[in-house]
């Protein structure tokens, strides 16, 4: 559900000031957590596609200024995303690991379970670009591997091409598994395509 930020607080807190942006079907039939979360974000991606397009290509609106109709570009930032910890973890693909042993206890930094009570510990912020890079590598499929190998210009000797192709395929598969493990453990993050990757708002780093 969504509302507008440019209205009085009294009106914004009125239930009649909110509208449904879309509905997400239940994914309880999916046993795999990554598949469950990816299906959720696929639905979010579809629901938010119109907003994403409007942010990339601002629409023109007409307003009345000093008695004259003026055309302006509408900038549509997302000002705030409200929710509890469970829903926000779902939005940023953070694993449900709030007990002892969590790789990090906050979405935006690398503060671990071991240092959460240390006032002298320095916060090391998480770079969303690093998360995106590792997620892309972790989600690579065999088709992606084959395309990379086919584009390999160093394969000249056809007699060695098959052997090299098999070797590169194993390397890429191990690399994908490595990045997936890094995301799941130190970063406590599910390796999924995040629907919010193209949505621009100020709280992005806080969500991560």
């Amino acid at each position: 559900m969504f509302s507008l930020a440019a209205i009085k607080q009294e009106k914004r807190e009125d239930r009649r000031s909110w509208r449904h942006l879309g509905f997400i079907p239940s994914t309880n039939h999916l046993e795999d957590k990554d598949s469950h979360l990816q299906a959720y974000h696929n639905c979010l991606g579809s629901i938010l596609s119109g907003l994403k397009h409007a942010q990339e290509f601002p629409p023109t609106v007409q307003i009345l200024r000093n008695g004259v109709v003026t055309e302006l570009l509408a900038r549509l930032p997302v000002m705030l995303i409200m929710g509890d910890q469970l829903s926000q973890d779902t939005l940023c693909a953070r694993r449900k690991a709030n007990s002892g042993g969590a790789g990090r206890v906050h979405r935006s930094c690398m503060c671990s379970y071991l240092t959460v009570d240390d006032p002298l510990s320095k916060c090391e912020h998480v770079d969303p670009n690093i998360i995106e890079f590792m997620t892309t590598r972790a989600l690579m499929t065999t088709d992606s591997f084959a395309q990379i190998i086919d584009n390999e210009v160093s394969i000249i000797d056809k007699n060695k091409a098959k052997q090299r192709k098999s070797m590169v395929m194993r390397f890429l598969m191990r690399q994908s598994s490595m990045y997936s493990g890094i995301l799941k453990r130190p970063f406590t993050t599910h390796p999924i395509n995040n629907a919010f990757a193209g949505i621009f708002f100020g709280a992005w780093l806080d969500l991560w």
Side-chain angles (χ1 to χ4, degrees):
M1 299 184 69
F2 74 98
S3 183
L4 300 177
I7 58 178
K8 293 182 179 180
Q9 181 179 353
E10 178 184 357
K11 295 297 182 181
R12 193 166 60 249
E13 293 177 351
D14 189 337
R15 63 180 179 83
R16 291 172 296 183
S17 299
W18 292 79
R19 297 291 184 270
H20 288 91
L21 189 62
F23 296 89
I24 297 179
S26 173
T27 55
N28 293 334
H29 62 284
L30 299 175
E31 296 182 1
D32 181 61
K33 293 297 183 181
D34 289 348
S35 299
H36 171 94
L37 194 58
Q38 186 63 70
Y40 182 90
H41 275 262
N42 289 345
C43 293
L44 277 181
S46 179
I47 292 173
L48 296 172
S49 60
L51 173 61
K52 181 179 179 180
H53 182 270
Q55 288 180 334
E56 295 176 348
F57 306 97
T60 301
V61 295
Q62 292 183 340
I63 65 169
L64 187 62
R65 175 184 291 178
N66 298 326
V68 179
V69 176
T70 306
E71 289 191 351
L72 298 175
L73 293 179
R75 304 294 181 179
L76 304 173
V78 177
M79 302 302 297
L80 178 68
I81 296 180
M82 295 189 299
D84 56 16
Q85 179 173 335
L86 180 62
S87 63
Q88 301 290 47
D89 284 349
T90 301
L91 288 180
C92 68
R94 181 176 180 273
R95 297 177 69 85
K96 309 301 185 294
N98 299 318
S99 58
R104 58 190 175 113
V105 296
H106 194 271
R107 302 180 186 95
S108 67
C109 74
M110 291 299 295
C111 180
S112 72
Y113 172 77
L114 299 176
T115 59
V116 69
D117 60 346
D118 183 3
L120 300 179
S121 178
K122 293 184 178 180
C123 179
E124 182 179 344
H125 288 281
V126 177
D127 186 350
N129 294 322
I130 295 178
I131 300 291
E132 183 178 0
F133 171 81
M134 289 194 293
T135 299
T136 301
R137 295 298 188 274
L139 294 178
M140 291 184 68
T141 63
T142 53
D143 291 338
S144 301
F145 297 152
Q147 184 176 4
I148 292 176
I149 295 171
D150 290 339
N151 293 335
E152 176 61 61
V153 296
S154 61
I155 299 179
I156 300 176
D157 190 344
K158 293 183 179 180
N159 295 327
K160 296 182 179 179
K162 186 176 181 180
Q163 179 181 359
R164 179 176 175 82
K165 189 172 184 178
S166 176
M167 179 182 66
V168 174
M169 180 71 76
R170 289 196 302 270
F171 168 77
L172 292 174
M173 291 179 66
R174 287 197 299 269
Q175 185 186 65
S176 175
S177 178
M178 177 189 70
Y179 282 122
S180 180
I182 293 174
L183 284 169
K184 289 181 178 180
R185 293 179 179 86
F187 286 92
T188 319
T189 299
H190 289 276
I192 68 163
N193 287 315
N194 197 310
F196 280 93
I199 302 297
F200 306 105
F201 53 90
W204 175 239
L205 286 177
D206 289 335
L207 278 177
W208 273 115

